[in-house]
Amino acid sequence: MAPMTNAPQPDSEALVDIYRRMLRIERNDDAIRSTIRKGRLQMPYYSARGQEVIPAAISHFLRDDDKICTIYRGIQDMVAKGMPLKPLWAEIAGRVDGTCKGKGGPMHLTHPETGVMVTTGVVGSSMPIANGLGWAAQLDKSDRVVIAYFGDGAANIGAFHESLNLAALWDLPVVFVCPNNGYAEHTSFANSTRAETLAVRAAGYGMPGYRVDGNDPDAMYAAAHQAISRARAGEGPTLLECITFRFMGHVFGDDMSYMAEGELARHLERDPLVKLRQRLIDEGISTEEELESMKAEIDAEVAEARDYGLASPTPSVDELRRDVFAEEMPA
Amino acid sequence: MSATVKMNSLQAVNKALHQAMAADDKVVVFGEDVADNEGGGVTGATKGLSTAFGTDRVRSTPISEQAIIGAAIGAALAGYKAVPEIMLMNFTTVAMDMIHNHAAKLRFMSGGQTSVPITIRTLTGAGWQTAGQHADHLEGWFAHSAGIKVVCPSNPADYAGLLLASIQDPDPVLFVESAGSLFIPGEVPEIITPIPLGKANIVTEGSDVTIVAWSAQTVRCQAALQALAEAGISAELIDLRTISPWDRDTVLASVEKTGRCIVAHEAVRSFGPGAEIAATIAEELFGKLKAPVRRLGGPECAVPFAKALEDAFIVQPADVVATAKALMA
């Protein structure tokens, strides 16, 4: 799918790193869904189950000082980038030890220490802000890069057009990463976009654009390497359209009745997490025991984070007056 | 008092931008046509900046208001003091998501981890026959957004001092330049010092009626002062200068003294900022009022083109005088 020449291939170490990030995303997602089901979390949840390869491969090439702007379906991007899970869980539970003291919640997690600068609940709004972070890197004469994550639905909002044009014009070190999971909320890609791909739009902005198999670690590795290297070298932005599928529908509890019969089942058979795990074993990169121990270690981290988050106190109502402005609002 | 220079408010903006950029290399200015290659701004407010400070820090942009404010937010999150220009206030509507949902809210929604110290400069106002999509006073919209300050200066010294304070402020500010005040000359300190946001200016003291105004409406209220004096009415004119946060203490102390109040603004009267001020006065000073608070503002229609209609749309000095006389009757 990726029309790239001399595309680098992930070595064993890179594949294990990508798998570990994917597994951390999936185990965390699984814990969030089961905790919601038990009634111990009340939150709108937009699972990215099935899309794990994309942020895992992208984050493999990111440094701590690189920035990301992501969207309401974005916890996978943060986990892949390295956000600690304890404040993440406290935030989605609306507790004072959360990344945002419980004032942002699951759609607005922010953690500048790990480069998670903005998580937006407005479709498309990650892109204009990512440009500004990229401009700042340019002004600082730093080679740090910025990732703007957004969905296929967001490619049809005006912010996409304005942002890609400006990023190309100013050679900004931004990679526009679009997991195209086939649906904008409940509307299929075919029912919202006449163009066959989103990647073709990049040409209109004078930037490279690639459609890659977002569930294929090799393709994603090559695409991420190329786009991030280009941004880091000061050569400008890239649009990556990463084809994938969301296993849990739009929002937690979605009955997915708008999907064609058998569509979900067909995709579930090709679960990228299961496939990569099998590959690591088949190619002799990892043993069953190693992967089980990796899973146990991650499960323990997630369980500890969940317990920490749920035990954290709720914020004081005084928080309503704090952080509106730098100066606290009068009581 | 340091030495002053005579200039109009547009020149005062330009002077303040030069001073702010020279003092802090984190200050960046950008927007449509703002660099010297494109003329230094549609009004010339940013003239000379790109020549003095380079096109890295002073950039002309495509006509892309969302992208402009988004870039300002991102740069601010990374430590810059961004001063984007949205040519006209009506064009802020194209960037409302970036302003209202993001710039104003990120500090709160991130629990104070991030902040957005940007100053959005914009121009508006009736009087230039530009009609309904180039002249609206929308300060009430932004004052209704928690997390962004709204500054509406009326004279050159205030433009300079308030702009400097806005740029230095740790939070987002909408800085509204008004057509009816931009070219009136006045004295500006040679070295500008910031004027604190949220502090009103008592233009003239009086004992019969308090008049609250801002932007070009302050100029029109000043023009009414002589006629009021001739009618034997002692008016206290307060230039609010900042709409959000607004200086409640100064306004309430004045109305407590006079017992009467007129709030005059160019924005449409219905649901305008005057309603918030009048309601606050009613809540705080109900038993001390000698007359109901009166609001003067634009009629409920778009800013019209024809000169006669545009003149009728604007609250004129004669309207202020007539209202004050009615309150005294």
Side-chain angles (χ1 to χ4, degrees):
Chain A
M1 250 175 175
M4 281 178 229
T5 52
N6 304 322
Q9 293 295 308
D11 60 16
S12 300
E13 205 179 318
L15 280 177
V16 172
D17 177 70
I18 290 170
Y19 181 73
R20 177 187 289 277
R21 290 175 199 266
M22 289 172 65
L23 190 62
R24 196 159 169 261
I25 294 167
E26 187 272 336
R27 296 318 300 153
N28 194 60
D29 171 80
D30 187 73
I32 292 174
R33 285 186 284 112
S34 79
T35 311
I36 294 173
R37 273 195 302 269
K38 284 176 193 148
R40 296 184 68 201
L41 271 179
Q42 290 82 39
M43 59 181 258
Y45 185 52
Y46 303 88
S47 169
R49 186 68 261 283
Q51 303 184 183
E52 293 88 355
V53 176
I54 299 160
I58 293 285
S59 301
H60 176 73
F61 292 99
L62 296 181
R63 302 190 312 232
D64 285 350
D65 67 336
D66 292 328
K67 313 293 184 200
I68 69 167
C69 293
T70 187
I71 61 167
Y72 57 90
R73 191 187 315 282
I75 289 178
Q76 70 283 6
D77 304 327
M78 306 161 200
V79 172
K81 183 72 169 68
M83 185 193 274
L85 299 185
K86 281 181 174 179
L88 185 156
W89 273 84
E91 186 61 29
I92 65 178
R95 306 301 170 84
V96 75
D97 295 307
T99 56
C100 311
K101 298 191 274 182
K103 292 155 84 163
M107 286 197 271
H108 307 291
L109 288 145
T110 307
H111 197 255
E113 279 169 62
T114 50
V116 181
M117 299 307 292
V118 175
T119 302
T120 180
V122 181
V123 170
S125 297
S126 56
M127 293 176 273
I129 300 175
N131 275 351
L133 288 160
W135 184 29
Q138 210 175 51
L139 287 166
D140 289 343
K141 306 201 185 315
S142 160
D143 67 349
R144 66 178 188 266
V145 303
V146 185
I147 308 297
Y149 288 106
F150 60 100
D152 46 295
N156 292 328
I157 204 163
F160 171 88
H161 172 67
E162 292 193 16
S163 302
L164 269 69
N165 181 58
L166 189 73
L169 183 70
W170 288 3
D171 292 324
L172 296 177
V174 179
V175 183
F176 295 91
V177 179
C178 176
N180 182 346
N181 59 26
Y183 286 90
E185 302 201 12
H186 297 183
T187 301
S188 70
F189 184 71
N191 280 345
S192 58
T193 306
R194 177 65 75 190
E196 284 187 15
T197 80
L198 294 173
V200 295
R201 295 186 184 177
Y205 301 108
M207 75 168 74
Y210 303 104
R211 175 179 258 222
V212 296
D213 182 345
N215 286 2
D216 175 354
D218 293 331
M220 270 312 302
Y221 179 92
H225 176 269
Q226 178 152 333
I228 292 170
S229 306
R230 176 178 148 82
R232 220 181 275 299
E235 291 164 9
T238 302
L239 171 62
L240 296 181
E241 178 189 11
C242 313
I243 304 304
T244 185
F245 197 82
R246 35 165 231 220
F247 291 169
M248 299 293 159
H250 176 55
V251 67
F252 182 82
D254 187 344
D255 66 6
M256 293 183 263
S257 55
Y258 48 86
M259 283 184 191
E261 205 179 320
E263 188 180 7
L264 176 63
R266 205 169 63 246
H267 284 281
L268 283 171
E269 279 172 21
R270 300 195 303 243
D271 186 331
L273 192 76
V274 174
K275 277 178 72 176
L276 181 55
R277 186 181 196 281
Q278 195 57 50
R279 177 177 166 187
L280 292 177
I281 289 164
D282 290 349
E283 294 184 7
I285 295 169
S286 307
T287 63
E288 283 276 0
E289 294 70 35
E290 282 165 351
L291 296 182
E292 279 313 301
S293 128
M294 183 193 288
K295 179 165 177 277
E297 184 194 318
I298 290 171
D299 277 339
E301 181 198 6
V302 170
E304 193 187 353
R306 180 199 58 208
D307 293 347
Y308 172 87
L310 295 177
S312 173
T314 52
S316 146
V317 290
D318 290 339
E319 283 299 332
L320 296 175
R321 295 184 289 105
R322 293 182 191 136
D323 310 319
V324 178
F325 293 112
E327 193 178 333
E328 193 168 313
M329 302 285 276
Chain B
M1 186 78 185
S2 70
T4 60
V5 195
K6 189 169 186 177
M7 64 180 68
N8 65 34
S9 292
L10 185 62
Q11 293 162 326
V13 165
N14 186 268
K15 182 175 168 59
L17 289 171
H18 270 94
Q19 190 176 316
M21 292 198 78
D24 184 352
D25 61 13
K26 289 289 189 187
V27 176
V28 291
V29 169
F30 54 109
E32 294 153 19
D33 297 339
V34 301
D36 287 331
N37 190 51
E38 287 74 36
V42 68
T43 59
T46 52
K47 221 180 256 300
L49 292 172
S50 67
T51 302
F53 302 104
T55 48
D56 273 354
R57 288 176 65 199
V58 183
R59 286 193 182 182
S60 291
T61 66
I63 301 174
S64 301
E65 281 81 7
Q66 286 189 75
I68 291 169
I69 302 302
I73 294 169
L77 291 174
Y80 283 84
K81 293 272 195 182
V83 189
E85 175 179 306
I86 298 296
M87 190 178 288
L88 294 175
M89 194 169 207
N90 282 83
F91 310 158
T92 61
T93 59
V94 183
M96 278 309 253
D97 167 54
M98 281 294 127
I99 301 172
H100 174 77
N101 290 323
H102 294 89
K105 293 183 180 172
L106 289 183
R107 182 190 286 279
F108 185 88
M109 295 182 74
S110 73
Q113 295 179 97
T114 59
S115 60
V116 186
I118 67 174
T119 300
I120 305 168
R121 288 183 42 251
T122 193
L123 170 65
T124 198
W128 289 348
Q129 285 192 272
T130 50
Q133 293 167 357
H134 284 63
D136 278 333
H137 264 274
L138 303 174
E139 60 269 22
W141 289 18
F142 296 94
H144 195 63
S145 292
I148 185 167
K149 300 177 182 181
V150 184
V151 176
C152 296
S154 72
N155 63 74
D158 282 5
Y159 267 82
L162 290 168
L163 181 54
L164 203 57
S166 299
I167 294 170
Q168 291 173 0
D169 198 89
D171 287 299
V173 176
L174 184 75
F175 188 86
V176 185
E177 299 162 17
S178 56
S181 67
L182 208 56
F183 296 108
I184 299 171
E187 295 295 325
V188 174
E190 206 160 353
I191 296 162
I192 305 162
T193 50
I195 294 173
L197 306 185
K199 293 281 174 222
N201 176 37
I202 300 175
V203 178
T204 180
E205 290 188 19
S207 55
D208 292 330
V209 59
T210 300
I211 303 171
V212 180
W214 55 87
S215 291
Q217 198 59 49
T218 299
V219 178
R220 297 187 201 104
C221 289
Q222 278 173 298
L225 288 175
Q226 195 183 335
L228 287 168
E230 283 165 8
I233 298 170
S234 170
E236 179 148 304
L237 175 59
I238 296 177
D239 181 356
L240 210 51
R241 299 202 287 204
T242 304
I243 306 309
S244 177
W246 66 284
D247 189 347
R248 290 164 49 110
D249 293 348
T250 296
V251 171
L252 291 174
S254 173
V255 180
E256 188 163 14
K257 177 178 72 176
T258 60
R260 300 177 188 89
C261 185
I262 298 168
V263 188
H265 55 60
E266 194 175 312
V268 169
R269 182 176 176 274
S270 316
F271 298 92
E276 173 70 19
I277 295 165
T280 303
I281 294 168
E283 283 170 346
E284 301 295 328
L285 299 173
F286 182 68
K288 294 172 180 164
L289 294 175
K290 295 171 185 156
V293 180
R294 292 293 307 273
R295 288 175 294 146
L296 297 175
E300 206 166 303
C301 66
V303 177
F305 166 70
K307 193 67 193 160
L309 295 181
E310 192 187 43
D311 285 346
F313 179 91
I314 295 170
V315 176
Q316 299 291 352
D319 300 319
V320 177
V321 174
T323 304
K325 282 182 178 171
L327 281 181
M328 295 300 293

